[in-house]
Amino acid sequence: MKKLIYCSALLFVWLFFSCQEAGRIDQIDESVPAPKPVEVTEVISIPGGAVIKVKIPNDDNLKGIVATYERNGEIVNTKISRFVDSLLVVGYADTEPRKVEVCSFNVNEVRSTPVNVTINPLTPAVQTVDFDIVEAFGGVKIHIMNNTSNEDLAVCLLADKDVSNIDAPESSKRWVEVTTLFTSAEDIYLARRGMKPEETLFGVYIRDRWGNKSPIKSKILTPLEEIELDKKKFRYYNPGDDNSYSTNNSNYPISSLWDGSGVSQAPYFYASNSSNPMPQWLTIDLGVTAKISRIGKMARIDYAIWSGAHPREFEFWGSMAPTGQVVPENEHGFDNTWFKLGYFEQPRPSGYNPDGTVPPTWTPEDREMFNTGTEFEMDETVYPDALNELRYLRVVFINTFSTWETKAKVGQVQIGEITPYGQVVE
């Protein structure tokens, strides 16, 4: 027992002196002086904030720069390293002048003498972005407009079954949150489907990443009745003038366009022959007479994103009884039974270059739209026959991303799925 006590005492003494000699690794070295103050060279106002440009002092003790300011009742610190010369102060919901304190700091977080700056934020996106809500087949559409700063926005859709509340104060409305959609696009339609065709009071507002909100816009709308057409009734139909054919390899059949798989591995996407002419088209017998309200298009998922043989420009046409005759004076030579449902170009949330070419990089929102698909609305205000009754749907591929760039007159088309929605007439 005495031997154990003796060893324990020796161990305690050794540990005590070892700690005294080595010192603690997290101990603050108070001998490091505060760094020199920064020099603010420019203040650039931006929507909801400002960019503060600084001149970094030549000081070995300086680790970084910090801007301290109040936002929405909280004290916020924005830091940059000594190798960056711009501080971003953002998140305000108005244009009131704000005080910002700018300091340099050392490794111990000791700050220099502060430099006080007044910023004058420009009007934030939640006030400048315009939006509207309209009824659509199967639900409603929200149109986001004028998001010129490409701000990340949450678009919140609300509903109240009591339409008599339209003129009631907001606090009296029985809002239920239907969904929240996200976008940074400058101009885009966002749709919410799967709703019953019942008169409903809808509300919508936008919110930025700091929780600032726009006023609620309210409307009484009745979603239009709509169903997804039964793809089990679809079949390929060539009246005699189709010029788009699947390759001889059965891994890429035309029937993949309506197999409902939602995947992109062979044989679940369609690929035409690479020697097909452009434009090229194919015809689908829907098996019923219907009015088409919108058509969903899915790409070959995660393959050559925003490039290659994916369709970029395309059209949808309808007919009740195509003859297969070629009429040279008509568009594409189609016979007189065909009517155009619409022309579309694949939208890209981050946009294309000014000359129409595709930027070399894409955003997460770009990739999400590419892989989850895009829906195209039939608009009878642009195409008067867009909601006519039809039995046969013709898909015309005007250009792929490749042929758009190269102006090639032949090319392959790869596409995953076509999904028409609307009303069955018979």
Side-chain angles (χ1 to χ4, degrees), residues 114-414:
V115 176
N116 294 311
V117 179
T118 298
I119 67 169
N120 295 280
L122 301 180
T123 307
V126 290
Q127 294 185 28
T128 59
V129 172
D130 193 14
F131 56 94
D132 193 16
I133 179 171
V134 295
E135 61 190 21
F137 279 92
V140 295
K141 292 189 298 184
I142 302 167
H143 189 189
I144 300 297
M145 300 164 279
N146 199 39
N147 185 17
T148 54
S149 61
N150 295 114
E151 184 61 67
D152 291 321
L153 298 174
V155 182
C156 303
L157 177 63
L158 311 171
D160 184 346
K161 292 293 184 181
D162 187 354
V163 295
S164 67
N165 282 337
I166 180 67
D167 296 319
E170 289 300 329
S171 59
S172 300
K173 291 175 180 172
R174 301 188 185 96
W175 287 129
V176 174
E177 185 169 321
V178 177
T179 190
T180 300
L181 306 165
F182 300 91
T183 186
S184 60
E186 179 177 349
D187 190 302
I188 193 171
Y189 280 95
L190 302 172
R192 176 61 161 85
R193 308 290 182 181
M195 296 181 174
K196 296 179 179 179
E198 299 172 349
E199 190 177 58
T200 303
L201 174 59
F202 289 100
V204 64
Y205 69 90
I206 58 175
R207 183 182 71 239
D208 65 22
R209 72 187 92 170
W210 302 281
N212 301 314
K213 299 177 181 179
S214 72
I216 296 175
K217 183 173 289 188
S218 303
K219 277 188 177 182
I220 296 175
L221 301 171
T222 303
L224 304 176
E225 188 172 10
E226 178 193 59
I227 63 167
E228 178 182 333
L229 269 62
D230 185 357
K231 294 182 181 180
K232 293 179 181 177
K233 297 180 179 179
F234 293 7
R235 64 184 180 90
Y236 173 61
Y237 176 76
N238 183 1
D241 62 338
D242 270 14
N243 68 352
S244 179
Y245 300 98
S246 175
T247 62
N248 292 328
N249 189 331
S250 60
N251 283 338
Y252 317 116
I254 287 178
S255 58
S256 294
L257 283 175
W258 55 85
D259 63 9
S261 64
V263 296
S264 62
Q265 296 86 359
Y268 302 115
F269 67 91
Y270 165 68
S272 70
N273 194 297
S274 59
S275 62
N276 273 17
M278 297 298 296
Q280 58 184 269
W281 53 84
L282 56 85
T283 305
I284 303 171
D285 178 358
L286 300 177
V288 295
T289 300
K291 293 182 178 181
I292 303 297
S293 57
R294 60 188 169 105
I295 297 177
K297 180 183 75 69
M298 181 176 287
R300 181 182 176 185
I301 300 171
D302 261 340
Y303 179 82
I305 293 180
W306 299 104
S307 63
H310 297 287
R312 174 166 174 171
E313 294 179 286
F314 43 91
E315 298 169 346
F316 297 114
W317 292 68
S319 173
M320 282 297 294
T323 67
Q325 294 179 329
V326 176
V327 183
E329 61 268 26
N330 288 351
E331 188 173 3
H332 307 308
F334 293 170
D335 70 55
N336 293 325
T337 70
W338 289 103
F339 49 89
K340 187 184 287 189
L341 307 182
Y343 160 85
F344 304 94
E345 182 172 13
Q346 175 62 49
R348 192 173 187 271
S350 66
Y352 295 99
N353 291 326
D355 63 356
T357 55
V358 182
T361 58
W362 35 261
T363 67
E365 192 174 1
D366 290 337
R367 181 175 180 268
E368 180 181 10
M369 174 180 279
F370 184 90
N371 283 334
T372 58
T374 313
E375 292 185 348
F376 302 92
E377 301 278 344
M378 305 303 111
D379 187 349
E380 61 183 337
T381 64
V382 180
Y383 297 94
D385 298 324
L387 299 181
N388 283 7
E389 295 181 7
L390 59 94
R391 167 71 184 249
Y392 299 91
L393 176 67
R394 177 163 282 184
V395 186
V396 181
F397 304 105
I398 304 295
N399 268 309
T400 64
F401 283 93
S402 177
T403 63
W404 191 98
E405 294 272 7
T406 62
K407 312 304 179 187
K409 300 300 182 183
V410 297
Q412 184 186 58
V413 169
Q414 294 188 11

Side-chain angles (χ1 to χ4, degrees), residues 18 57 65 71 83 94 101 246 248 375 402 414:
S18 294
I65 313 298
R71 184 181 68 205
F83 305 106
D94 53 47
E101 185 180 273
S246 175
N248 292 328
E375 292 185 348
S402 177
Q414 294 188 11

